[in-house]
Amino acid sequence: LTPEQRAANVAGAFEATAPLSGRCVLVDDVFTTGATLLAAADAALAGGAAQVDAVTFARARNAVGQD
């Protein structure tokens, strides 16, 4: 998928099911375009998180749409 397709694919996919506060840390296995983390971070912020950080374990090489 292109970066735009990945972003559209995860748009609205995440929702905080309980009120959040303070710092939230997201964990993802592989960073490709960042679309998943961005969508999850948006949901955490909408749910009340004051700050969102992310940790990934690997980054995809030569992902579609990236040099």
Side-chain angles (χ1 to χ4, degrees), residues 29-56:
D29 56 352
V30 178
F31 183 96
T32 305
T33 63
T36 302
L37 287 175
L38 182 59
D42 285 345
L45 291 169
Q51 177 180 334
V52 179
D53 295 308
V55 176
T56 60

Side-chain angles (χ1 to χ4, degrees), residues 4-67:
E4 294 79 14
Q5 290 170 322
R6 285 184 179 274
N9 194 42
V10 294
F14 302 100
E15 178 182 2
T17 58
L20 301 174
S21 64
R23 181 179 180 192
C24 179
V25 179
L26 303 175
V27 179
D28 196 3
D29 56 352
V30 178
F31 183 96
T32 305
T33 63
T36 302
L37 287 175
L38 182 59
D42 285 345
L45 291 169
Q51 177 180 334
V52 179
D53 295 308
V55 176
T56 60
F57 296 100
R59 182 181 185 280
R61 286 181 61 183
N62 300 325
V64 173
Q66 297 180 356
D67 292 326

